[in-house]
Amino acid sequence: MEMKLVAEAADQTVYEGEGGGYYSWSTSKSPLLQDLKLGAGKLLLHPHGFALPHYADSSKIGYVLEGVCTVGLVAPNSSQETVVVIKKGDVIPLQRGVVSWWFNGGETDLTIVFIGETTIAQIPGQFTYYFMAGVLGILRGFQSDVVAKVFGLTNQESEDIATSQPGVVIVKLGDGIVFPNASKYVKEKLYATIDTPKADVVVKGGGTINSLTGKDFPMVVEMGLSARFVRLECEAILAPSYVADGSIQVIYVAKGSGRIRVVGSDGNPSFDGEVGDGELMVVPRFFGVTVIADEGGMELFLIINTSKTPKSLQIISFVILEACLRATSRKSVGLEGIITCGFTICFKYQSSIGTTFKVEEHRNIDDYTSNSKVLRNIKYG
């Protein structure tokens, strides 16, 4: 099956109003989302913007691009609301069916990107939301006497509940409303900071990589998702890699710009182009991918549809390298560093046998397509 790989910004306005907006990636522009049953959306809340309580038919992970947000969560079969406050650099997993509301009590905009799976969604490739209040509120669809009996209200009171909020999706609240503080006692971890200096991989002068998996966050095991944050410094490269268990990667450019190349089974690039802030692309199963940051650096948020830590390119022995690449033993030292580092940033890398190399020039991905050019760009320490 031919796969059309594209890098696109959110192109569909689901809602836009005084309090903010919600935007999504359409399956017409990003067809792989539908084909591979994935979805993505972006929430923008202006100061005092309030996203009405709702639940969705898909599990997803949100990453805070900017701002601070107060979030209320009610899990299925739970009578208790949990309130958390998340900020730039945090991730928050949301299981399908969880009721949530979102409020920006700060003085600057809040932006969150959501990426997840749509395996049992009403529309593959899209998140469908069901609202508890407002013009789209599900209570409006039930007879007032039924709502009255369930909640112990009069018919008039039930009609008022269903119709009193004229807003749709997002509303802007006045200054007088005081939202609840963060819950003090929370049984399980509900969010985490993924953009942190204390990352899983730190390469001085190259960047950082940090992951969120089922090992760190039990909730994502049921969701079948994991997240990764990558920061690349000026002209650093995320070494060529693939996910060995056949998981799909969704890459979102959170900041900066650079170049991505994706290679399939025929050895030819399926995608090779510049990407920038706000663009998203899907990497199919087993395809190899590499990323090179521009001079201003680059930040990536990745979702992988597995809750385990993905494996990448494995160590290849000297003998095999020499046989398949026609390389001398000295050259194999450098090539092994590139081949084995997988998701490790390839700027300064300490290989397993103690050889340090530095990529001097990597403005063009073509510099890495032939062995001789790769070797010319490596300085041994």
Side-chain angles (χ1 to χ4, degrees), residues 208-238:
T208 60
I209 301 175
N210 206 18
S211 300
L212 176 80
T213 66
K215 180 180 178 181
D216 315 301
F217 224 120
M219 184 190 305
V220 302
V221 174
E222 297 180 24
M223 297 168 58
L225 298 172
S226 60
R228 173 168 280 150
F229 176 80
V230 179
R231 174 181 285 110
L232 298 175
E233 303 296 342
C234 171
E235 297 184 337
I237 178 173
L238 191 64

Short mmCIF file of all heavy atoms in Angstrom, two decimals, residues 208-238:
data_model
loop_
_atom_site.label_atom_id
_atom_site.label_comp_id
_atom_site.label_asym_id
_atom_site.label_seq_id
_atom_site.Cartn_x
_atom_site.Cartn_y
_atom_site.Cartn_z
N THR A 208 18.59 17.02 24.46
CA THR A 208 18.08 16.10 25.46
C THR A 208 16.94 15.27 24.88
O THR A 208 16.27 15.67 23.93
CB THR A 208 17.55 16.85 26.70
OG1 THR A 208 16.49 17.74 26.30
CG2 THR A 208 18.65 17.66 27.36
N ILE A 209 16.72 14.09 25.49
CA ILE A 209 15.59 13.23 25.17
C ILE A 209 14.98 12.75 26.48
O ILE A 209 15.69 12.30 27.37
CB ILE A 209 16.02 12.01 24.34
CG1 ILE A 209 16.68 12.45 23.03
CG2 ILE A 209 14.83 11.12 24.05
CD1 ILE A 209 17.24 11.29 22.22
N ASN A 210 13.67 12.85 26.59
CA ASN A 210 12.99 12.37 27.79
C ASN A 210 11.75 11.60 27.37
O ASN A 210 11.07 11.97 26.40
CB ASN A 210 12.61 13.54 28.71
CG ASN A 210 12.50 13.10 30.15
OD1 ASN A 210 13.00 12.05 30.53
ND2 ASN A 210 11.82 13.88 30.96
N SER A 211 11.43 10.52 28.09
CA SER A 211 10.33 9.65 27.71
C SER A 211 9.31 9.49 28.82
O SER A 211 9.63 9.62 30.00
CB SER A 211 10.85 8.26 27.31
OG SER A 211 11.75 8.35 26.23
N LEU A 212 8.07 9.20 28.42
CA LEU A 212 7.00 8.88 29.34
C LEU A 212 6.40 7.56 28.88
O LEU A 212 5.82 7.47 27.80
CB LEU A 212 5.92 9.97 29.31
CG LEU A 212 4.68 9.71 30.15
CD1 LEU A 212 4.97 10.04 31.61
CD2 LEU A 212 3.50 10.52 29.67
N THR A 213 6.58 6.49 29.67
CA THR A 213 6.12 5.16 29.30
C THR A 213 5.29 4.56 30.44
O THR A 213 5.12 5.17 31.50
CB THR A 213 7.31 4.23 29.02
OG1 THR A 213 8.05 4.02 30.23
CG2 THR A 213 8.23 4.84 27.96
N GLY A 214 4.79 3.35 30.19
CA GLY A 214 4.00 2.67 31.21
C GLY A 214 4.78 2.40 32.48
O GLY A 214 4.20 2.28 33.57
N LYS A 215 6.09 2.30 32.37
CA LYS A 215 6.92 2.08 33.55
C LYS A 215 6.85 3.27 34.50
O LYS A 215 6.83 3.11 35.72
CB LYS A 215 8.38 1.84 33.13
CG LYS A 215 9.33 1.60 34.28
CD LYS A 215 10.75 1.37 33.76
CE LYS A 215 11.72 1.16 34.92
NZ LYS A 215 13.10 0.95 34.44
N ASP A 216 6.79 4.47 33.94
CA ASP A 216 6.74 5.68 34.75
C ASP A 216 5.30 6.09 35.07
O ASP A 216 5.05 6.75 36.08
CB ASP A 216 7.41 6.85 34.02
CG ASP A 216 8.74 6.45 33.39
OD1 ASP A 216 9.61 6.01 34.15
OD2 ASP A 216 8.88 6.55 32.17
N PHE A 217 4.37 5.70 34.23
CA PHE A 217 3.02 6.22 34.30
C PHE A 217 2.05 5.07 34.04
O PHE A 217 1.67 4.82 32.89
CB PHE A 217 2.84 7.29 33.21
CG PHE A 217 2.13 8.51 33.67
CD1 PHE A 217 2.75 9.75 33.60
CD2 PHE A 217 0.84 8.46 34.13
CE1 PHE A 217 2.11 10.90 34.00
CE2 PHE A 217 0.17 9.59 34.53
CZ PHE A 217 0.80 10.82 34.47
N PRO A 218 1.62 4.32 35.07
CA PRO A 218 0.80 3.12 34.86
C PRO A 218 -0.44 3.36 34.01
O PRO A 218 -0.90 2.45 33.30
CB PRO A 218 0.42 2.73 36.30
CG PRO A 218 1.52 3.26 37.15
CD PRO A 218 1.94 4.55 36.49
N MET A 219 -0.98 4.57 34.03
CA MET A 219 -2.20 4.85 33.28
C MET A 219 -2.05 4.61 31.78
O MET A 219 -2.98 4.18 31.11
CB MET A 219 -2.62 6.31 33.52
CG MET A 219 -3.93 6.69 32.85
SD MET A 219 -4.23 8.47 32.93
CE MET A 219 -4.12 8.78 34.68
N VAL A 220 -0.86 4.89 31.23
CA VAL A 220 -0.70 4.79 29.79
C VAL A 220 -0.61 3.35 29.30
O VAL A 220 -0.70 3.10 28.11
CB VAL A 220 0.55 5.59 29.30
CG1 VAL A 220 0.44 7.04 29.69
CG2 VAL A 220 1.84 4.97 29.83
N VAL A 221 -0.45 2.39 30.24
CA VAL A 221 -0.43 0.99 29.83
C VAL A 221 -1.78 0.61 29.21
O VAL A 221 -1.85 -0.03 28.16
CB VAL A 221 -0.12 0.08 31.04
CG1 VAL A 221 -0.23 -1.38 30.64
CG2 VAL A 221 1.29 0.37 31.57
N GLU A 222 -2.87 1.01 29.88
CA GLU A 222 -4.21 0.74 29.35
C GLU A 222 -4.46 1.50 28.05
O GLU A 222 -5.20 1.04 27.18
CB GLU A 222 -5.27 1.11 30.38
CG GLU A 222 -5.19 0.31 31.67
CD GLU A 222 -6.27 0.73 32.65
OE1 GLU A 222 -7.30 1.26 32.21
OE2 GLU A 222 -6.10 0.51 33.86
N MET A 223 -3.85 2.67 27.92
CA MET A 223 -4.05 3.49 26.74
C MET A 223 -3.25 2.98 25.54
O MET A 223 -3.59 3.28 24.39
CB MET A 223 -3.66 4.94 27.04
CG MET A 223 -4.53 5.58 28.11
SD MET A 223 -3.86 7.16 28.71
CE MET A 223 -3.78 8.10 27.20
N GLY A 224 -2.17 2.25 25.79
CA GLY A 224 -1.33 1.77 24.71
C GLY A 224 -0.56 2.87 24.02
O GLY A 224 -0.32 2.82 22.81
N LEU A 225 -0.15 3.89 24.79
CA LEU A 225 0.57 5.03 24.24
C LEU A 225 1.79 5.35 25.09
O LEU A 225 1.82 5.03 26.28
CB LEU A 225 -0.33 6.27 24.18
CG LEU A 225 -1.59 6.22 23.32
CD1 LEU A 225 -2.44 7.45 23.56
CD2 LEU A 225 -1.25 6.08 21.85
N SER A 226 2.76 5.99 24.50
CA SER A 226 3.88 6.55 25.25
C SER A 226 4.29 7.84 24.56
O SER A 226 3.94 8.09 23.41
CB SER A 226 5.07 5.58 25.32
OG SER A 226 5.54 5.26 24.03
N ALA A 227 5.03 8.68 25.29
CA ALA A 227 5.40 10.00 24.75
C ALA A 227 6.90 10.20 24.89
O ALA A 227 7.56 9.63 25.76
CB ALA A 227 4.65 11.10 25.49
N ARG A 228 7.42 11.04 24.02
CA ARG A 228 8.86 11.37 24.07
C ARG A 228 9.03 12.84 23.69
O ARG A 228 8.37 13.34 22.77
CB ARG A 228 9.63 10.47 23.12
CG ARG A 228 11.09 10.84 22.95
CD ARG A 228 11.84 9.75 22.23
NE ARG A 228 12.18 8.68 23.14
CZ ARG A 228 12.30 7.40 22.79
NH1 ARG A 228 12.08 7.04 21.56
NH2 ARG A 228 12.63 6.49 23.68
N PHE A 229 9.90 13.52 24.43
CA PHE A 229 10.23 14.92 24.14
C PHE A 229 11.70 14.99 23.74
O PHE A 229 12.57 14.44 24.42
CB PHE A 229 9.98 15.80 25.36
CG PHE A 229 10.39 17.24 25.16
CD1 PHE A 229 9.57 18.12 24.48
CD2 PHE A 229 11.61 17.70 25.63
CE1 PHE A 229 9.94 19.44 24.28
CE2 PHE A 229 12.00 19.02 25.44
CZ PHE A 229 11.17 19.89 24.77
N VAL A 230 11.97 15.64 22.62
CA VAL A 230 13.34 15.76 22.11
C VAL A 230 13.65 17.23 21.91
O VAL A 230 12.90 17.95 21.24
CB VAL A 230 13.51 15.02 20.77
CG1 VAL A 230 14.94 15.20 20.25
CG2 VAL A 230 13.18 13.55 20.92
N ARG A 231 14.76 17.69 22.49
CA ARG A 231 15.27 19.04 22.22
C ARG A 231 16.60 18.91 21.49
O ARG A 231 17.54 18.27 22.00
CB ARG A 231 15.44 19.84 23.51
CG ARG A 231 16.11 21.20 23.24
CD ARG A 231 16.32 22.03 24.49
NE ARG A 231 15.06 22.61 24.94
CZ ARG A 231 14.41 22.25 26.03
NH1 ARG A 231 14.90 21.28 26.80
NH2 ARG A 231 13.28 22.82 26.37
N LEU A 232 16.70 19.48 20.32
CA LEU A 232 17.93 19.48 19.54
C LEU A 232 18.51 20.88 19.53
O LEU A 232 17.80 21.85 19.22
CB LEU A 232 17.67 19.02 18.11
CG LEU A 232 17.14 17.59 17.92
CD1 LEU A 232 16.81 17.35 16.46
CD2 LEU A 232 18.14 16.58 18.42
N GLU A 233 19.78 20.98 19.85
CA GLU A 233 20.46 22.28 19.80
C GLU A 233 20.80 22.62 18.34
O GLU A 233 20.46 21.87 17.42
CB GLU A 233 21.72 22.23 20.66
CG GLU A 233 21.49 21.85 22.12
CD GLU A 233 20.64 22.85 22.87
OE1 GLU A 233 20.51 24.00 22.41
OE2 GLU A 233 20.10 22.50 23.94
N CYS A 234 21.48 23.72 18.16
CA CYS A 234 21.81 24.22 16.82
C CYS A 234 22.44 23.13 15.95
O CYS A 234 23.49 22.59 16.28
CB CYS A 234 22.77 25.40 16.95
SG CYS A 234 23.49 25.97 15.41
N GLU A 235 21.75 22.76 14.87
CA GLU A 235 22.25 21.83 13.85
C GLU A 235 22.59 20.45 14.39
O GLU A 235 23.34 19.70 13.77
CB GLU A 235 23.45 22.44 13.12
CG GLU A 235 23.10 23.71 12.36
CD GLU A 235 24.25 24.26 11.56
OE1 GLU A 235 25.41 23.95 11.91
OE2 GLU A 235 24.00 24.99 10.60
N ALA A 236 22.02 20.08 15.52
CA ALA A 236 22.20 18.72 16.02
C ALA A 236 21.30 17.78 15.24
O ALA A 236 20.32 18.18 14.62
CB ALA A 236 21.87 18.65 17.51
N ILE A 237 21.65 16.49 15.27
CA ILE A 237 20.90 15.48 14.52
C ILE A 237 20.39 14.40 15.44
O ILE A 237 21.09 13.95 16.35
CB ILE A 237 21.77 14.87 13.40
CG1 ILE A 237 20.99 13.78 12.64
CG2 ILE A 237 23.06 14.29 13.94
CD1 ILE A 237 21.71 13.24 11.42
N LEU A 238 19.14 14.02 15.25
CA LEU A 238 18.58 12.84 15.90
C LEU A 238 18.90 11.66 15.00
O LEU A 238 18.41 11.59 13.86
CB LEU A 238 17.08 12.99 16.09
CG LEU A 238 16.37 11.97 16.98
CD1 LEU A 238 16.87 12.07 18.41
CD2 LEU A 238 14.87 12.17 16.93
#
